[in-house]
């Protein structure tokens, strides 16, 4: 057996792990690179895998950095199925269609306003490519073994990161290899918490927050503080929002504040076609979260869901105070840029960052205190106030990673640490060696690892 990391190693994006055994080639996750330009350029490079011989693809969850390369994989010749949990199947469909649409729109806008050196600019992939990949998705239940062949089985176990997210367990010739994907919080806001796993011969574990412990202050009170502060200025609060998980968490907290009659009487919008679709998927998969029917009804009455372009334009041009949740979460594209185009140069408005911002994204630039932001081909002065709530993270911190890892009854033969910026991965490696005395290594991009 051997492992090769074609993404998600020494970085937090582009997750792709190839395992080869018994003449089978299985790809765990198939994500897009995001953030820094040198990473994004990798999306245009051909994968060094013979796609005719790729047996299967297995997804840990639906996020774009784990699923967003699938349309290219299929376009370039992959003929097999893509295995995932049933909620992941539904969310991946929404995410890939949105991604294809954004790639098409970005290329069209770049050609129209001539802010690209490519003549013409072309989308990485289009909506039809996304539809072709969606046709290959197959949904499975949690906690059951399913065969790839007579020697290879796979199982999904809840990881608590987003709806449908899972640890992937492979049983190969009686050896167990566990891929963590992204691990959620021990006490998530709306999801069922991650399950413990007690045995792995080999383990691949994420390290997004490998050296950090999340703060424990109350999210609800912080969110209310920024809402009231912005309202007191007569401005609007713009929340760049990840459409899957973060949007639903914020809607839930806003609904609680509304039930407690603490919110000012201003409209609240979720302006994101993908966010709207993802929210409805959350409501439909009732066994995979802890929301009651009444809670769902409260959420539905708190936030107006906006999909149509004309309705979005009307809200963008409305100068009265409001709260807007809009994608994308790292300001890499999407409708949030139209709100910023209108509001970022007015100090009465506020921008609230509620999630991880990868290096090289506009969201990271905002948090770094940059004085201007470039989008739509020009620079915009940042005069709106910028705030951040760290407590919203959907990733386990170091203490939660250790909580999950300590439930293995015996140490894996080798633990691969991936999906983290270098200092985070190295910190987790040191912690595992000193605390658990585990044998571990930080995964490196394109390096082949042989498993006994």
């Amino acid at each position: 057996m051997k492992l090769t990391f074609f993404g998600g190693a020494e970085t937090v994006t582009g997750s792709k792990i190839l395992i080869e055994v018994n003449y089978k080639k299985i790809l765990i996750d198939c994500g897009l690179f995001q953030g820094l330009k040198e990473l994004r350029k990798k999306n245009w490079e051909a994968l060094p895998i013979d796609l005719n011989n790729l047996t299967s693809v297995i997804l840990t969850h639906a996020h774009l950095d784990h699923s967003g390369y699938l349309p290219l994989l299929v376009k370039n010749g992959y003929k097999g199925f893509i295995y995932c949990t049933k909620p992941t199947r539904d969310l991946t469909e929404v995410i890939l269609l949105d991604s294809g649409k954004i790639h098409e729109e970005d290329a069209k806008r770049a050609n129209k306003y001539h802010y690209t050196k490519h003549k013409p600019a072309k989308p990485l992939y289009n909506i039809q490519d996304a539809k072709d990949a969606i046709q290959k998705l197959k949904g499975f239940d949690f906690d059951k073994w399913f065969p790839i062949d007579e020697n290879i089985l796979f199982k999904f176990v809840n990881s608590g990161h987003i709806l449908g997210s899972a640890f992937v367990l492979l049983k190969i010739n009686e050896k167990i290899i566990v891929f963590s994907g992204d691990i959620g919080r021990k006490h998530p806001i709306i999801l069922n918490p991650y399950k413990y796993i007690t045995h792995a011969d080999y383990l691949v574990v994420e390290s997004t927050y490998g050296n950090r412990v999340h703060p424990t202050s109350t999210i609800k009170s912080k969110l209310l503080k920024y809402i009231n502060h912005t309202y007191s200025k007569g401005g609007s609060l713009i929340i760049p929002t990840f459409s899957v998980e973060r949007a639903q968490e914020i809607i839930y907290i806003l609904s609680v504040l509304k039930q407690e009659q603490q919110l000012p009487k201003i409209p609240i919008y979720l302006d994101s076609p993908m966010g709207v679709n993802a929210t409805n998927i959350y409501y439909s998969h009732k066994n995979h979260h802890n929301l009651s029917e009444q809670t769902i009804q409260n959420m539905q009455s708190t936030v107006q869901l906006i999909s149509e372009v004309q309705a979005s334009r009307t809200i963008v041009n409305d100068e009265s105070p409001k709260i807007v949740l809009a994608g994308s979460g790292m300001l890499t594209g999407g409708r949030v840029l139209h709100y910023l185009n209108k509001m970022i140069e007015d100090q009465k408005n506020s921008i609230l960052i509620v999630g991880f911002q990868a290096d090289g994204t506009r969201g990271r630039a905002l948090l770094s205190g940059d004085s201007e932001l470039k989008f739509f081909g020009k620079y915009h002065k940042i005069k709106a106030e910028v705030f951040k709530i760290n407590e919203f993270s959907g990733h386990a911190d170091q203490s939660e990673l250790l909580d999950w890892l300590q439930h293995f009854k015996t140490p894996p033969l080798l633990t691969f640490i991936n999906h983290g910026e270098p200092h985070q991965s190295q910190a987790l490696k040191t912690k595992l060696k000193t605390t658990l005395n585990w044998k571990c290594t930080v995964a490196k991009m394109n390096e082949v690892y042989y498993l006994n």
Side-chain angles (χ1 to χ4, degrees):
M1 291 189 291
K2 59 182 181 179
L3 287 181
T4 311
F5 294 80
F6 291 114
E10 303 169 286
T11 179
V12 294
T13 74
S15 291
K16 303 178 195 74
I17 308 170
L18 182 70
I19 181 163
E20 300 173 75
V21 62
N22 297 351
Y23 305 103
K24 301 284 186 182
K25 298 178 187 289
I26 301 167
L27 191 63
I28 307 297
D29 285 335
C30 190
L32 274 187
F33 287 100
Q34 299 168 291
L36 293 171
K37 186 175 182 179
E38 54 262 38
L39 285 174
R40 287 185 280 115
K41 286 168 67 176
K42 292 180 180 295
N43 294 325
W44 295 87
E45 300 172 2
L47 268 182
I49 302 173
D50 182 354
L51 298 183
N52 290 319
N53 292 326
L54 185 60
T55 308
S56 310
V57 178
I58 305 177
L59 296 186
T60 61
H61 64 289
H63 274 153
L64 201 64
D65 61 325
H66 292 258
S67 72
Y69 194 86
L70 287 171
L72 284 174
L73 197 77
V74 173
K75 183 177 183 179
N76 292 334
Y78 175 61
K79 300 291 195 300
F81 291 117
I82 302 159
Y83 303 141
C84 56
T85 68
K86 292 174 181 177
T88 294
R89 176 197 60 202
D90 295 347
L91 287 175
T92 300
E93 177 176 349
V94 170
I95 286 173
L96 293 185
L97 288 174
D98 184 77
S99 180
K101 180 170 177 283
I102 287 174
H103 285 302
E104 285 188 7
E105 291 175 347
D106 285 350
K108 183 178 179 181
R109 189 179 296 112
N111 290 323
K112 180 177 180 180
Y113 295 105
H114 308 291
Y115 56 81
T116 175
K117 64 182 180 181
H118 302 287
K119 306 293 182 184
K122 295 182 179 180
L124 182 64
Y125 56 80
N126 58 31
I127 293 174
Q128 186 57 53
D129 297 328
K131 289 180 178 178
D132 292 342
I134 289 164
Q135 292 300 313
K136 297 187 174 296
L137 293 170
K138 285 196 170 296
F140 293 82
D141 292 329
F142 283 94
D143 303 319
K144 296 179 181 178
W145 288 105
F146 298 97
I148 290 177
D149 66 15
E150 64 274 12
N151 296 313
I152 304 175
L153 304 172
F154 69 90
K155 180 167 71 170
F156 295 111
V157 176
N158 178 43
S159 69
H161 174 60
I162 66 170
L163 190 78
S165 65
F167 306 121
V168 171
L169 281 66
L170 284 181
K171 183 186 287 187
I172 301 175
N173 300 328
E174 298 308 311
K175 277 192 165 52
I176 302 291
I177 306 173
V178 175
F179 300 85
S180 77
D182 291 350
I183 304 176
R185 307 297 305 276
K186 186 173 183 178
H187 303 290
I189 296 172
I190 61 177
L191 290 177
N192 300 322
Y194 56 67
K195 287 190 174 182
Y196 296 109
I197 295 171
T198 58
H199 174 74
D201 293 288
Y202 296 96
L203 170 65
V204 179
V205 64
E206 68 123 318
S207 58
T208 309
Y209 291 118
N211 75 343
R212 172 177 161 177
V213 175
H214 295 314
T216 56
S217 55
T218 305
I219 294 175
K220 189 173 73 169
S221 62
K222 278 195 172 184
L223 180 58
L224 183 60
K225 179 178 75 172
Y226 296 133
I227 292 170
N228 286 334
H229 173 74
T230 306
Y231 181 65
S232 71
K233 298 187 296 178
S236 293
L237 179 64
I238 307 303
I239 308 177
T241 311
F242 299 100
S243 296
V244 177
E245 196 60 33
R246 195 56 33 82
Q248 294 76 37
E249 289 176 341
I250 295 173
I251 292 171
Y252 166 73
I253 293 171
L254 289 170
S255 73
V256 172
L257 289 169
K258 181 181 178 183
Q259 293 301 306
E260 295 173 349
Q261 299 184 330
Q262 296 194 64
L263 286 179
K265 295 190 182 313
I266 56 174
I268 305 173
Y269 304 101
L270 172 62
D271 189 352
S272 162
M274 181 168 71
V276 170
N277 290 333
T279 300
N280 288 327
I281 288 171
Y282 269 73
Y283 294 158
S284 67
H285 284 281
K286 295 183 172 64
N287 294 329
H288 299 283
H289 54 66
N290 57 32
L291 302 173
S292 68
E293 284 290 343
Q294 184 59 56
T295 300
I296 290 173
Q297 290 177 25
N298 292 341
M299 291 169 67
Q300 291 171 326
S301 66
T302 297
V303 176
Q304 299 179 54
L305 304 182
I306 306 299
S307 292
E308 297 301 321
V309 171
Q310 190 54 52
S312 178
R313 288 175 180 159
T314 300
I315 298 165
V316 167
N317 292 316
D318 178 8
E319 297 184 0
S320 59
K322 54 188 167 289
I323 301 169
V324 178
L325 286 64
S328 67
M330 296 187 197
L331 289 84
T332 52
R335 290 186 179 178
V336 71
L337 295 182
H338 295 279
Y339 287 93
L340 296 187
N341 188 48
K342 189 80 173 178
M343 301 176 186
I344 197 170
E345 296 191 359
D346 191 334
Q347 60 188 9
K348 74 173 182 289
N349 299 316
S350 302
I351 304 166
L352 177 59
I353 302 297
V354 293
F356 179 82
Q357 305 297 308
D359 200 10
T361 61
R362 296 186 185 94
R364 178 69 72 92
L366 272 183
L367 292 179
S368 299
D370 288 11
S371 61
E372 52 187 14
L373 205 62
K374 185 181 180 183
F375 55 91
F376 295 165
K378 64 179 183 177
Y379 286 92
H380 304 256
K381 295 288 185 183
I382 302 171
K383 296 182 180 178
E385 289 189 90
V386 179
F387 304 109
K388 186 175 194 306
I389 296 179
N390 290 315
E391 291 84 347
F392 267 115
S393 177
H395 285 269
D397 65 12
Q398 187 187 82
S399 65
E400 291 164 323
L401 289 170
L402 285 173
D403 169 71
W404 184 70
L405 293 166
Q406 285 169 337
H407 281 76
F408 285 86
K409 291 180 178 178
T410 56
L413 298 173
L414 181 59
T415 295
F416 297 90
I417 298 171
N418 79 326
H419 200 285
E421 293 177 349
H423 63 288
Q424 302 282 358
S425 298
Q426 288 294 340
L428 185 61
K429 174 184 174 181
T430 301
K431 192 73 173 178
L432 291 183
K433 282 190 169 184
T434 57
T435 305
L436 302 180
N437 196 30
W438 281 17
K439 183 180 179 182
C440 46
T441 187
V442 174
K444 297 189 182 307
M445 195 90 79
N446 299 318
E447 190 160 318
V448 178
Y449 297 90
Y450 289 88
L451 311 182
N452 295 324

